[in-house]
Amino acid sequence: MKKLLLAACLSASLAAPALAISTVDRIVAVVNNSVITQSELNSRVKDAQGNLQRQGIDAPAAALLQRQVLDMMINEQLQLQYANNNGLRIGELEIDQALNSIAQQNKTDLAGLRALLEKDGSSIARLREQLRSELLLERIKEREVNSRVNVTDQEVAQVQQTTAGLNRVEYRLSAIQVNIPENATPAQVEERRQKLLKARAEIQAGKSFAQAAAAYSEAPNAMQGGDLGWRNASALPQDFIQLLNTLQVGGVTELVRASGSLYLFKLTDKRDGSGPQYVKQYKVRHILIKTNEATSDADAYARILQVQDRIKRGAKFEDMARQFSEDGSASLGGDLGWVTEGDTVPDFERTFRQMAAKQISEPVKTPFGWHLIQLDEIRSQDVSNDREKLLVKQQIRQRKIEQSYTDWLEQLRASAFIDDRLVEK
């Protein structure tokens, strides 16, 4: 949940000045039964400008940035409507937890956070609503996409076999992605291709790849300059590796079509991943009280508080896990063993990564219910022997998630009524 960083929450954009009445009242998009106004768009554009500035990326031209931000807002509105129609909610307790986490990250308490927000012209109430949307978008993606993506050992073995000898090479990539609707006509495909060709021409004329991504990419990471991070060769198609190997670091590919989208890729860096590979691992226990049709969120929270109280009064964590946890690890005293980044859901991982050894968390909400987490140990482990299989599996999964999320959003848009009025007709 990158937007939970205080830099984002406290940007000057949260204190957008009042606009003229004629601008405030203008509707720039209708999304099913909801509207997006010019003032809402202006506020989000200011947020985007602040985020780009903090990353050292020049903002695109105003019209292009407005277009990008409005498309993102439409996608968000569609997802929030989907959540509402399917009974997905974020409780006040979860928002309280997120607020406390932000305050702790910035070495203050809620009173201090409130003062910082008010100094910037914002408020706790506004931040709560921002967090409600952020958490709900994460919950939807976890439920509708992430939880349905699986990677088999056979897929991993097949990738390893076809990329033998390349498994230690890693590429730092950035991408500009333009999506092609399902059953697109030749004219629609050509329109998408011309958009990407325009981006490439501007890059060749001197515009930075990151700025072009912010202006043209339709991927969720557009406002991060299209950065994809490091990708292991064994998790990339072999013909794509051959294409990357023809590039110098800093080079940009021609147009690449894959998985229903068109791409431009930039090779930002390249490295040999041989030798010891150390990763931080966490030995974790937990107690889970599930939420379901029989147990409401409030009831589950009340039960986890009762368990927490018994632990505070001297009960052993593992004994309470055996007695009360509704997870398969209960018989092991809640022991999940050693976990690394990406092994658990984001809310759970964010919590234990901020903890010290031997510490027990406050109640934590995830899509499964309410948890207490105990962090037993932290270690740096050489995983070079297991690293290849682990990386391949993680990156195949990430690639599947990215494509599944794109496809799901396209289907959501295709089934919706969207009246885009940004450019007045």
Side-chain angles (χ1 to χ4, degrees):
M1 192 162 54
K2 294 179 181 177
K3 294 182 183 177
L4 293 187
L5 297 174
L6 186 64
C9 295
L10 298 183
S11 70
S13 59
L14 292 180
L19 301 171
I21 294 298
S22 59
T23 302
V24 169
D25 290 342
R26 183 184 170 222
I27 294 173
V28 292
V30 179
V31 185
N32 291 323
N33 58 352
S34 300
V35 300
I36 299 173
T37 66
Q38 183 72 61
S39 62
E40 291 170 331
L41 176 59
N42 290 346
S43 179
R44 291 292 295 275
V45 166
K46 287 180 178 293
D47 288 345
Q49 289 171 330
N51 289 333
L52 290 169
Q53 184 179 15
R54 283 187 291 276
Q55 297 171 79
I57 300 172
D58 291 334
L64 286 173
L65 187 57
Q66 273 202 332
R67 173 78 272 155
Q68 285 288 83
V69 172
L70 181 58
D71 283 341
M72 292 178 184
M73 292 177 73
I74 290 172
N75 284 342
E76 288 176 10
Q77 190 63 244
L78 287 170
Q79 292 174 83
L80 294 173
Q81 290 175 7
Y82 181 90
N84 184 61
N85 293 337
N86 285 272
L88 293 177
R89 302 285 187 274
I90 298 297
E92 298 303 317
L93 295 173
E94 291 178 75
I95 300 175
D96 291 342
Q97 182 185 358
L99 283 172
N100 284 324
S101 178
I102 293 173
Q104 290 170 10
Q105 288 172 25
N106 293 277
K107 299 179 176 57
T108 187
D109 55 15
L110 284 179
L113 180 61
R114 181 179 289 106
L116 288 170
L117 288 165
E118 289 175 353
K119 182 179 178 182
D120 256 13
S122 189
S123 66
I124 285 286
R126 181 172 180 183
L127 180 55
R128 289 185 72 88
E129 290 311 303
Q130 178 186 346
L131 291 174
R132 191 187 307 278
S133 296
E134 295 267 345
L135 290 166
L136 193 50
L137 290 171
E138 281 192 6
R139 182 71 48 78
I140 298 165
K141 187 176 180 182
E142 177 63 36
R143 174 179 136 163
E144 299 300 327
V145 180
N146 299 16
S147 63
R148 301 181 183 183
V149 171
N150 295 307
V151 180
T152 66
D153 290 341
Q154 184 178 0
E155 287 179 286
V156 174
Q158 184 177 6
V159 167
Q160 289 178 302
Q161 183 178 3
T162 57
T163 58
L166 295 170
N167 298 324
R168 295 298 188 183
V169 180
E170 296 178 331
Y171 303 88
R172 180 74 182 268
L173 301 173
S174 296
I176 300 174
Q177 175 180 338
V178 171
N179 301 321
I180 300 176
E182 190 176 0
N183 302 319
T185 65
Q188 288 175 313
V189 174
E190 179 60 20
E191 184 269 331
R192 307 271 79 197
R193 196 176 75 87
Q194 288 299 325
K195 179 178 180 179
L196 208 51
L197 286 174
K198 183 178 180 182
R200 194 175 196 282
E202 291 183 6
I203 293 167
Q204 291 174 330
K207 178 177 286 187
S208 73
F209 192 94
Q211 188 180 11
Y216 294 106
S217 182
E218 297 172 3
N221 67 349
M223 292 303 156
Q224 285 74 51
D227 184 24
L228 297 174
W230 287 98
R231 300 292 172 106
N232 187 268
S234 58
L236 299 172
Q238 195 163 14
D239 56 351
F240 186 51
I241 295 170
Q242 293 170 354
L243 176 63
L244 291 176
N245 286 339
T246 66
L247 290 178
Q248 298 291 327
V249 170
V252 177
T253 66
E254 298 292 338
L255 272 62
V256 176
R257 184 166 183 175
S259 303
S261 298
L262 286 168
Y263 298 87
L264 287 176
F265 291 97
K266 177 183 177 181
L267 179 59
T268 304
D269 204 353
K270 182 178 177 179
R271 68 188 181 192
D272 182 353
S274 300
Q277 301 292 328
Y278 290 94
V279 298
K280 186 174 283 189
Q281 294 185 324
Y282 305 81
K283 197 168 191 306
V284 174
R285 295 179 185 270
H286 81 135
I287 299 168
L288 169 64
I289 305 298
K290 292 182 178 180
T291 53
N292 49 45
E293 293 180 359
T295 305
S296 69
D297 186 75
D299 288 342
Y301 182 67
R303 288 174 59 191
I304 204 73
L305 286 178
Q306 291 171 356
V307 175
Q308 182 188 43
D309 182 64
R310 293 183 65 168
I311 293 171
K312 287 181 175 179
R313 288 190 285 114
K316 290 185 177 180
F317 191 96
E318 51 266 41
D319 292 341
M320 294 296 94
R322 290 187 182 96
Q323 186 173 350
F324 295 108
S325 185
E326 298 172 349
D327 181 68
S329 64
S331 62
L332 303 174
D335 188 6
L336 297 177
W338 290 99
V339 298
T340 58
E341 183 178 349
D343 287 346
T344 62
V345 295
D347 294 320
F348 193 93
E349 180 178 303
R350 265 193 302 274
T351 301
F352 70 68
R353 288 182 65 181
Q354 295 173 6
M355 293 167 61
K358 308 303 180 185
Q359 185 179 355
I360 298 173
S361 73
E362 292 297 314
V364 177
K365 178 69 184 295
T366 76
F368 304 106
W370 284 94
H371 308 251
L372 290 175
I373 302 171
Q374 177 174 288
L375 179 60
D376 290 339
E377 297 179 60
I378 305 172
R379 72 181 183 187
S380 289
Q381 180 75 3
D382 180 6
V383 295
S384 51
N385 291 332
D386 300 323
R387 177 176 176 273
E388 180 186 325
K389 183 176 180 180
L390 176 65
L391 278 176
V392 172
K393 189 167 188 175
Q394 286 178 340
Q395 295 189 10
I396 291 175
R397 174 175 165 78
Q398 185 59 35
R399 190 171 71 237
K400 282 186 170 185
I401 286 173
E402 289 168 359
Q403 187 56 50
S404 295
Y405 186 55
T406 297
D407 293 344
W408 183 73
L409 278 179
E410 285 294 317
Q411 292 169 10
L412 210 57
R413 288 185 74 112
S415 62
F417 171 77
I418 300 172
D419 182 10
D420 188 334
R421 305 179 185 176
L422 182 61
V423 179
E424 295 192 61
K425 301 167 186 175

